[in-house]
Amino acid sequence: MNVRHSHFKLMLAAAVVCSQLLLLTTCAKKTASSASHLVYWSANNQYEVDLARELVARWNSLHPESPVTHQPVPESQSTEEAILAAVVGKTTPDVFSNMWPGDVEAYARAGQLVALDTFPDFAEVIGARVDPALLDEARSSDGHVYQIPWKTNPVMVIFNRKMLAEAGYDHFPRTYSEYLQAAERIVRDTNGDGHIDRWMGITDIRALWWQRFFDFYPLYIAATGGHTLLEDGKIAFDNQQAVEVFTFLQTLFARGYFPKERMVGRTDVFLQGVVASRFTGPWEIRHAEKFKPEGFVYDFAPVPRPDGVSGPVYTYGDIKNIVIFRNTRRPRLAWEFAKFLVSREADLLLLEMTDQLPLRANHLEDPLYAPYFAKSPFMKRFADQARFVRGTDTSPVLKEIFDILSNEFEACVVYGVKTPAKAIHDAARQARLVLE
Amino acid sequence: MDARPITSRTSPVSPQTGRLSVGQGRRRHTANAGYVLVLPYIAHFLTFVAFPLVFSFVLIFHRWDILSPMQWIGLGNVHRLLHDRLFFRALANTGVFLLIHIPLQIVIALALAVFLNQKLRLRGFFRAIFFLPVVVSGVVTTMLWDSLYAQDTGVLNNVLSSLGLGRVPWLTSPTMAMPSIAIMATWKNVGLYIVLFLVGLQSVPQHLYEAADIEGASPWRKFRHITLPMINPTVVMVVILSTIGGFSLFIEPYIMTGGGPIRSTLSAVLYIYHQAFQFNHMGYAATLGFFFALIVFMVVLLQKRVVEQETGL
């Protein structure tokens, strides 16, 4: 037999075997993930992975006939990117618990999500859990609800008590004028080199749309008493309150109360006493407790508002929700599992294991959670704030609107090349075009 | 004269038996084995090059947000592109980057290559040091420079400050940000071009220098009249490679500035990325991509022609 011929046959056989193996592996994976098990994706930070594992273990012990497989959302630049890739590749899980509400509308319009209000017990389950106003916020433009409001991380201000006390404050400034006054006392050049090295606060100056969730947006919600950017699908932020927020922030940068840099490559500037305050969420508690220097005392307060505004202080809630993807083969079971994820007991685990707040209207009154809040006074503060949070509007172009605002923020607030009134007006004009 | 029909010379089939001759049969088996071996490459090419290219060309005529079905809009994306001032701003920013980056890169790489071409002690060590940034991840080097550039706390400004000089707003001034990125990109890539120049330098015949030495030529005259003309092909290659590399500016502004301040570092590729993966405007991003590729192609072609005319290559 010809030697070359036999080599050729060998190579051909190897190629065929390899391709068959690849095919079989792919098919096997697909079958395992979509037919016999319900697949649940959680966020991929360690706290939530631990929580998801615990919840799934409990579910599986209660329902051995309907097992759930847990996977953290695949590593990516952002969760949104990973989900988008999964939708395109038709590899979405049955249930996903870290959905940013701003994305839900686009997925719902594309027919990728199950309308949860089509389940007969939806109203009963959600009604017992969520404030009606929040449920309205979660409702899509077609009138259906595609998401279960699950958890919130209200944006508040963390502040250095000692620095504030030295400036003569026993509480955090509640208004813009108080904040600016405190900043004037706190901000200074401590080593006498003619350069400021202690600031009132810090925020990311880059024009990244999602960074505005931690400066402009919570301040805007607070200034307007709980309004968001859109009203009846139309631009609603072309107003005096938005201009006041931009003016306030612009003053902070113009006077050097906020640094025009990101302080990368150094240790936590808040815990080192370099900045006196920062807009943040409850995730900061564990971080501060772990890394704070000895004797460091901090506290949390609501975000400041323009002078003369009364009523409760609203803020951005940084809400994440649970959705069921349309490609699930067992929607009823997925709904049962989703209900399990928002049960009272599951919400207690959410608190205990992640220090994140369930979007449960009565969690401060519920005796089940009382021991947790008793030993976590800071979380109690966030829980109080959680009654007055707003999410984001339901619009498929929300990211673009935030991007526009972010660019105007950069031009006006950070670099002062535009007046606040013009910046807000320009942002509103561009956003209207995008909406059209 | 050979009277046999042409077919009898080229056909692998024996005219007598109607079967493959032994030699022809072996050649065919060898050819078949070759086809099998190139199959993976062809599969890869079709899947990851040809299909995306054709698909993105189709996308030019559609509106598509990935989630919803594609919608035919004819030349709508092209019309939008022609009126998109921000894209042309991003193109101009990329041009500014190239204007700073390419000359800087060539001058520094050539100077260091000439230096490293000498008989130095630790020559290998220096070559490795200059090449090191090339192999380090772009994300890592960008993050490193991000902290070096920090206005209030960065090492660069601390040095300047200790020398009694003012602090430079490296990344926070619309006029300084792009030059700062160009400096960083030059540092990152210069090692690669040093290697290319070294190859060019080592191919220059030594007898030319020896003849110049006999004539008493100064080092500068030798460099100007021998080295530079002899390494011209390398210069052309470096200019073209760094132009193509410079056009793909992405990681640095993406990580360091997000395209700011006030869009002064928004590069064309970053803008295309935003359209595609931030806003899901896939059709428009594909249109931008094709248009941009056309520009790169034309610039490189023009550059090649000009350099060839100038150098007579």
Side-chain angles (χ1 to χ4, degrees):
Chain A
M1 191 181 168
N2 188 317
V3 177
R4 284 182 187 172
H5 196 184
S6 67
H7 280 171
F8 166 67
K9 278 188 171 174
L10 196 66
M11 281 190 292
L12 195 61
V16 171
V17 169
C18 285
S19 61
Q20 291 302 312
L21 275 175
L22 195 68
L23 196 67
L24 283 172
T25 317
T26 317
C27 292
K29 267 186 188 167
K30 196 164 189 173
T31 312
S33 65
S34 55
S36 60
H37 287 65
L38 208 60
V39 176
Y40 162 51
W41 280 9
S42 71
N44 54 18
N45 67 72
Q46 195 54 52
Y47 300 125
E48 290 195 53
V49 169
D50 292 343
L51 170 73
R53 281 188 187 144
E54 177 63 27
L55 287 169
V56 165
R58 290 190 186 191
W59 168 271
N60 286 345
S61 67
L62 290 168
H63 306 275
E65 75 293 349
S66 313
V68 170
T69 303
H70 163 248
Q71 288 171 13
V73 65
E75 203 62 56
S76 183
Q77 175 85 9
S78 68
T79 301
E80 287 77 30
E81 263 182 31
I83 287 295
L84 184 63
V87 168
V88 174
K90 301 192 189 310
T91 55
T92 45
D94 299 273
V95 179
F96 177 52
S97 69
N98 202 45
M99 184 63 116
W100 178 56
D103 271 343
V104 169
E105 185 68 8
Y107 288 117
R109 285 191 187 189
Q112 297 290 340
L113 300 174
V114 172
L116 304 177
D117 53 349
T118 54
F119 293 109
D121 53 345
F122 173 82
E124 183 194 337
V125 172
I126 299 301
R129 179 181 166 83
V130 179
D131 182 74
L134 212 58
L135 186 60
D136 277 344
E137 225 173 64
R139 195 176 295 280
S140 281
S141 53
D142 66 357
H144 286 294
V145 180
Y146 296 90
Q147 50 190 329
I148 304 176
W150 182 41
K151 64 173 185 181
T152 176
N153 289 300
V155 174
M156 298 182 77
V157 182
I158 189 171
F159 66 97
N160 183 322
R161 284 189 76 111
K162 198 173 154 198
M163 285 167 85
L164 265 291
E166 281 171 7
Y169 289 85
D170 59 356
H171 65 275
F172 190 75
R174 296 184 185 98
T175 63
Y176 290 171
S177 56
E178 268 187 56
Y179 191 89
L180 292 170
Q181 204 174 44
E184 198 177 345
R185 295 178 192 174
I186 286 170
V187 175
R188 69 173 71 143
D189 167 16
T190 57
N191 59 8
D193 68 351
H195 192 71
I196 292 170
D197 50 23
R198 203 167 84 164
W199 291 270
M200 181 63 183
I202 188 168
T203 193
D204 198 318
I205 59 169
R206 288 176 301 173
L208 302 175
W209 65 273
W210 47 271
Q211 286 294 350
R212 303 295 74 85
F213 293 148
F214 306 103
D215 40 53
F216 168 75
Y217 195 49
L219 288 172
Y220 175 76
I221 291 173
T224 56
H227 287 271
T228 52
L229 300 181
L230 308 180
E231 208 168 298
D232 299 327
K234 291 189 178 139
I235 295 300
F237 65 79
D238 194 2
N239 55 36
Q240 188 53 35
Q241 288 96 329
V243 174
E244 278 186 81
V245 174
F246 260 35
T247 307
F248 170 60
L249 289 167
Q250 190 189 52
T251 309
L252 292 172
F253 280 101
R255 293 186 188 171
Y257 297 162
F258 273 32
K260 281 186 187 173
E261 66 169 290
R262 292 186 295 129
M263 305 265 186
V264 288
R266 57 187 291 177
T267 48
D268 189 311
V269 285
F270 174 72
L271 295 179
Q272 294 306 314
V274 174
V275 299
S277 63
R278 178 160 68 195
F279 303 112
T280 191
W283 58 80
E284 194 83 35
I285 300 170
R286 281 196 186 206
H287 174 77
E289 287 304 314
K290 197 170 174 183
F291 297 107
K292 69 178 181 184
E294 207 176 315
F296 187 89
V297 190
Y298 65 95
D299 205 342
F300 291 92
V303 297
R305 294 189 294 181
D307 302 50
V309 178
S310 56
V313 184
Y314 281 84
T315 190
Y316 173 55
D318 191 20
I319 292 165
K320 291 287 162 60
N321 293 341
I322 295 171
V323 294
I324 298 173
F325 281 96
R326 177 76 79 179
N327 71 344
T328 180
R329 294 187 182 185
R330 303 165 82 178
R332 182 77 222 179
L333 182 64
W335 168 241
E336 290 301 322
F337 180 66
K339 283 195 295 182
F340 172 78
L341 291 179
V342 295
S343 62
R344 283 175 74 228
E345 292 72 22
D347 280 347
L348 179 61
L349 277 180
L350 174 69
L351 279 166
E352 290 176 340
M353 295 182 74
T354 70
D355 281 339
Q356 296 186 63
L357 288 161
L359 267 168
R360 183 172 277 279
N362 60 351
H363 57 317
L364 280 173
E365 291 77 38
D366 193 324
L368 184 66
Y369 310 121
Y372 170 82
F373 287 119
K375 66 177 184 195
S376 307
F378 287 140
M379 280 304 287
K380 168 85 169 48
R381 202 145 313 167
F382 278 100
D384 285 330
Q385 178 68 74
R387 298 168 197 241
F388 306 107
V389 293
R390 289 286 179 262
T392 48
D393 298 285
T394 49
S395 166
V397 291
L398 196 64
K399 281 182 195 170
E400 284 175 79
I401 294 172
F402 269 102
D403 184 60
I404 290 164
L405 269 168
S406 207
N407 281 309
E408 294 298 333
F409 173 95
E410 191 196 34
C412 164
V413 169
V414 183
Y415 295 103
V417 298
K418 268 188 182 185
T419 64
K422 179 158 174 51
I424 289 295
H425 184 66
D426 285 354
R429 183 176 47 78
Q430 293 170 64
R432 281 189 198 102
L433 287 173
V434 168
L435 271 178
E436 285 164 12
Chain B
M1 191 180 164
D2 193 347
R4 284 178 297 174
I6 293 170
T7 46
S8 68
R9 273 188 287 176
T10 53
S11 169
V13 181
S14 162
Q16 285 78 32
T17 62
R19 293 190 304 186
L20 288 172
S21 66
V22 175
Q24 297 288 5
R26 278 185 184 163
R27 272 201 290 280
R28 194 171 131 180
H29 290 313
T30 310
N32 284 343
Y35 293 138
V36 171
L37 289 172
V38 297
L39 262 182
Y41 173 76
I42 291 173
H44 176 270
F45 175 81
L46 290 175
T47 312
F48 296 107
V49 180
F51 172 72
L53 205 64
V54 173
F55 184 64
S56 53
F57 184 74
V58 172
L59 276 182
I60 289 177
F61 307 102
H62 291 84
R63 180 181 288 134
W64 188 47
D65 67 356
I66 300 181
L67 298 169
S68 320
M70 279 195 238
Q71 188 188 344
W72 172 268
I73 55 166
L75 293 175
N77 284 321
V78 178
H79 181 262
R80 181 178 168 187
L81 185 155
L82 295 174
H83 294 85
D84 189 346
R85 282 190 297 177
L86 196 52
F87 177 61
F88 288 101
R89 169 86 192 270
L91 276 181
N93 289 340
T94 310
V96 169
F97 172 78
L98 289 173
L99 284 176
I100 302 167
H101 176 61
I102 296 173
L104 197 64
Q105 182 134 281
I106 289 171
V107 169
I108 294 175
L110 187 55
L112 288 170
V114 169
F115 169 69
L116 292 173
N117 201 34
Q118 312 298 311
K119 285 174 184 159
L120 298 168
R121 286 183 68 190
L122 300 175
R123 189 165 65 167
F125 170 75
F126 283 122
R127 286 180 182 180
I129 287 290
F130 287 120
F131 195 72
L132 196 62
V134 179
V135 291
V136 175
S137 148
V139 175
V140 172
T141 51
T142 304
M143 290 175 83
L144 171 75
W145 276 81
D146 201 7
S147 60
L148 291 179
Y149 275 146
Q151 188 174 338
D152 295 310
T153 54
V155 173
L156 290 176
N157 273 350
N158 283 342
V159 170
L160 291 175
S161 190
S162 65
L163 294 172
L165 302 166
R167 287 172 185 268
V168 178
W170 298 102
L171 296 173
T172 52
S173 149
T175 49
M176 274 305 296
M178 193 53 107
S180 302
I181 285 180
I183 291 170
M184 187 248 141
T186 303
W187 174 85
K188 162 88 178 128
N189 300 321
V190 80
L192 178 67
Y193 298 109
I194 288 174
V195 171
L196 294 177
F197 276 127
L198 273 172
V199 173
L201 288 171
Q202 282 165 13
S203 66
V204 180
Q206 283 303 306
H207 66 82
L208 296 178
Y209 292 116
E210 287 160 11
D213 285 338
I214 292 167
E215 295 292 329
S218 66
W220 168 248
R221 286 180 73 84
K222 282 193 281 184
F223 177 75
R224 173 75 184 83
H225 296 291
I226 299 172
T227 310
L228 266 185
M230 292 304 289
I231 62 164
N232 250 334
T234 313
V235 174
V236 174
M237 185 170 68
V238 167
V239 168
I240 290 171
L241 284 179
S242 54
T243 303
I244 295 169
F247 268 120
S248 60
L249 176 71
F250 175 75
I251 294 177
E252 293 85 352
Y254 178 71
I255 292 176
M256 292 167 114
T257 58
I262 317 178
R263 290 164 169 168
S264 61
T265 61
L266 181 70
S267 70
V269 178
L270 183 60
Y271 183 68
I272 295 170
Y273 169 83
H274 280 167
Q275 289 298 330
F277 300 107
Q278 190 166 303
F279 305 132
N280 297 347
H281 296 158
M282 291 296 166
Y284 186 52
T287 312
L288 293 174
F290 266 91
F291 185 71
F292 185 57
L294 192 69
I295 289 174
V296 175
F297 178 72
M298 282 163 57
V299 168
V300 170
L301 203 67
L302 188 73
Q303 213 172 34
K304 192 167 172 285
R305 290 241 170 109
V306 168
V307 175
E308 280 171 354
Q309 274 177 3
E310 290 287 316
T311 58
L313 287 168

